[in-house]
Amino acid sequence: MPKDTQSATLYRMVMPDHLCPFGLKSKDLLERQGYTVEDHHLETREETDAFLEKHGMKTTPQTFINGERIGGYDDLRVHFDLDPPKEEQSDTSYQPVIAIFSVAALLALGLSWHQYGTILSVRALEWFITLSMTILAIQKLQDIESFSTMFLNYDLLARSWVPYGKVYPFGEALAGILMTAGALTWISSPVALFIGTIGSASVFKAVYIDKRELKCACVGGASNVPLGFVSLTENVMMVAMGLWMGGTALMG
């Protein structure tokens, strides 16, 4: 939306024991959009309640531009076309896996540069996969109960043996750590092959055969990542690494 004025009025909570983070974010966003902010601090609970009652609102912060109430921080982002309107916003996001795979790739390149003096090495590709496995395992282990519950929606083995949902992230972490170190391949390769094969079959069946629309447990139980290509890729990478490192160890 175009800016009709270069000034805005912001009401936000600034109390001795509470500084509203969304109020600070609103002020920062307005200033970055070129607005001069008339910043009103609500310094007590009573003052805040009186403000909300007067204007018929339930939450702070509240921003007014040109006499028109825009709303809170999320409303501001919509107002400035930084986010789509709420009714058009999706409850799914690939941001968590993009962050994980990007950091894993950079870590792998950094390790390769440190170890071999170049970012382009076979070991860098191996590290990318094994570090991705390890970071994804950490995500699951943060709330293993929540992960295992979501995992039951589609994993074939977990549906037959429920405890497998809690075993899986430990297996993924073990395989990822050992493969990163290049140690105990006789343990890491079979583990990666086992969980990766079952995972690939489970995701493929749920998404491409049964046509189910589910959330992926790959980044933990609170995931908004759709089940599909990402989870299938995670499991296929484990299978590939199990075969690659197992075969390399046998030939060595």
Side-chain angles (χ1 to χ4, degrees):
M1 292 179 64
K3 292 177 281 192
D4 299 316
T5 178
Q6 287 298 107
S7 64
T9 303
L10 172 66
Y11 293 85
R12 62 190 180 98
M13 295 172 66
V14 181
M15 302 179 184
D17 60 346
H18 177 67
L19 178 63
C20 176
F22 290 103
L24 279 174
K25 293 177 75 172
S26 295
K27 183 174 182 291
D28 174 70
L29 177 57
L30 286 163
E31 290 173 342
R32 285 190 286 109
Q33 291 292 323
Y35 284 81
T36 299
V37 181
E38 185 180 327
D39 189 14
H40 292 270
H41 294 183
L42 302 170
E43 299 180 339
T44 65
R45 184 73 257 177
E46 292 74 18
E47 187 179 1
T48 302
D49 292 341
F51 168 79
L52 294 175
E53 183 177 356
K54 176 182 177 181
H55 293 277
M57 294 174 293
K58 295 182 178 180
T59 61
T60 62
Q62 292 293 328
T63 297
F64 295 80
I65 296 177
N66 223 22
E68 175 189 357
R69 184 176 73 87
I70 305 301
Y73 176 69
D74 291 340
D75 299 308
L76 265 182
R77 289 188 60 83
V78 173
H79 178 77
F80 291 128
D81 295 326
L82 299 174
D83 289 332
K86 291 181 180 179
E87 59 272 13
E88 297 177 13
Q89 294 178 12
S90 172
D91 64 346
T92 61
S93 172
Y94 287 97
Q95 185 173 336
V97 290
I98 292 172
I100 288 170
F101 287 135
S102 297
V103 170
L106 292 172
L107 277 171
L109 295 176
L111 286 169
S112 178
W113 191 3
H114 174 271
Q115 194 70 17
Y116 305 111
T118 176
I119 61 173
L120 301 177
S121 67
V122 173
R123 198 71 179 113
L125 178 59
E126 293 175 353
W127 277 328
F128 163 63
I129 296 175
T130 61
L131 289 169
S132 296
M133 290 166 57
T134 306
I135 298 171
L136 286 166
I138 293 171
Q139 293 295 106
K140 299 175 178 72
L141 289 168
Q142 289 184 87
D143 187 346
I144 195 167
E145 194 67 42
S146 180
F147 162 76
S148 62
T149 299
M150 184 180 285
F151 197 54
L152 284 169
N153 283 320
Y154 58 88
D155 190 82
L156 298 174
L157 180 55
R159 287 184 164 193
S160 299
W161 185 52
V162 172
Y164 177 66
K166 295 183 179 180
V167 172
Y168 178 97
F170 287 100
E172 184 175 33
L174 175 66
I177 292 167
L178 291 178
M179 286 178 166
T180 299
L184 301 178
T185 305
W186 60 275
I187 295 177
S188 62
S189 288
V191 170
L193 275 172
F194 181 81
I195 63 177
T197 300
I198 293 172
S200 298
S202 299
V203 173
F204 188 85
K205 180 179 185 301
V207 176
Y208 300 105
I209 296 178
D210 298 339
K211 307 292 184 182
R212 299 175 65 201
E213 294 185 4
L214 300 168
K215 294 292 193 302
C216 174
C218 54
V219 292
S223 167
N224 285 324
V225 178
L227 181 69
F229 177 76
V230 172
S231 187
L232 186 60
T233 300
E234 174 191 9
N235 286 287
V236 168
M237 286 195 310
M238 281 194 279
V239 172
M241 278 302 292
L243 292 171
W244 170 255
M245 296 201 77
T248 301
L250 288 174
M251 288 188 295

